[in-house]
Amino acid sequence: MDFVQRVKDNFAESIRIKIDAGNRLAPSIAIAAELMTACLLNGNKVLSCGNGGSAADAQHFVSEMINRYEMERPGLPAIALTTDSSVLTSIANDYQYADIFSRQVRALGQPEDVLLAFSTSGESDNIIHAIDAAHDKRLHVIALTGREGGQIADMLLETDIELRVPADSTARIQEVHLMIIHSLCDLIDHKLLGAVT
């Protein structure tokens, strides 16, 4: 096997999928950024969750909100529901793993907050439960998915936004999810502070 060529092929595939996703998803990403900006300007917050690499994506987004993206600005209210090991393990132990995010959404979520939910397959039980809780609490939902969208695609409301990456590979989907995160951050900064150079 030619490992150098394999690396080049991975890069080429990632670029191809990003271009395809950018063409398909740009309008929906812009709408999602508008929704998040309105949420933040109204004094609300973003709750974010995912599993594994998607947990890292959820935390990555929150770090860009609370600290900064590319412009100096005050921190913006966002909470990663993936980070408190005592909360996560107590819920998993006392109830079930599928409830680790939904119980936090029910405790922390307020109407008009945004739930930013990551699931490359669209089939993650704990993300599905979190979306159910968000609907019950009247949060807006932005779901980053891949493949065929899974159960999540079928449960979203007309007012929710799905950003579904047109790919089957978990790695490629997560790479595009990161690009979506950065696009959302860029647009939020632009809407709040003016043009980003």
Side-chain angles (χ1 to χ4, degrees):
M1 177 182 284
D2 183 342
F3 288 120
V4 171
Q5 186 58 50
R6 186 170 178 82
V7 169
K8 291 179 180 179
D9 290 346
N10 284 336
F11 271 80
E13 182 184 40
S14 182
I15 291 165
R16 178 185 58 76
I17 292 169
K18 283 187 175 113
I19 290 170
D20 186 19
N23 289 332
R24 292 186 194 200
L25 298 177
S28 296
I29 293 169
I31 292 168
E34 292 272 4
L35 177 63
M36 287 182 158
T37 303
C39 161
L40 296 166
L41 287 173
N42 287 333
N44 290 93
K45 63 188 172 296
V46 179
L47 304 177
S48 188
C49 58
N51 296 287
S54 295
D57 288 338
Q59 292 165 213
H60 186 139
F61 175 81
V62 169
S63 74
E64 308 281 25
M65 290 291 96
I66 290 179
N67 186 27
R68 67 183 179 96
Y69 179 57
E70 291 189 329
M71 296 178 68
E72 291 298 330
R73 58 157 166 73
L76 300 172
I79 302 170
L81 304 180
T82 55
T83 57
D84 190 327
S85 60
S86 294
V87 168
L88 295 172
T89 56
S90 68
I91 295 169
N93 183 64
D94 294 348
Y95 298 95
Q96 59 179 341
Y97 189 76
D99 293 335
I100 61 171
F101 301 134
S102 61
R103 288 189 68 84
Q104 293 185 77
V105 169
R106 291 184 193 285
L108 301 171
Q110 298 294 323
E112 305 305 318
D113 285 350
V114 170
L115 176 67
L116 181 64
F118 295 82
S119 175
T120 59
S121 66
E123 297 287 349
S124 305
D125 281 346
N126 54 15
I127 301 298
I128 290 167
H129 285 226
I131 292 171
D132 276 335
H135 288 157
D136 289 346
K137 295 279 293 193
R138 295 187 293 118
L139 277 69
H140 300 285
V141 176
I142 300 172
L144 278 71
T145 65
R147 299 190 179 99
E148 301 303 316
Q151 294 180 62
I152 289 173
D154 295 330
M155 68 184 299
L156 295 177
L157 306 177
E158 287 185 10
T159 53
D160 296 333
I161 299 169
E162 183 188 14
L163 302 173
R164 185 190 307 172
V165 177
D168 293 318
S169 163
T170 298
R172 299 293 91 82
I173 294 166
Q174 289 176 333
E175 289 160 8
V176 179
H177 282 180
L178 180 57
M179 190 68 226
I180 293 171
I181 290 167
H182 284 164
S183 295
L184 290 169
C185 292
D186 176 65
L187 293 177
I188 290 167
D189 275 4
H190 183 82
K191 289 173 184 301
L192 291 177
L193 302 172
V196 179
T197 57

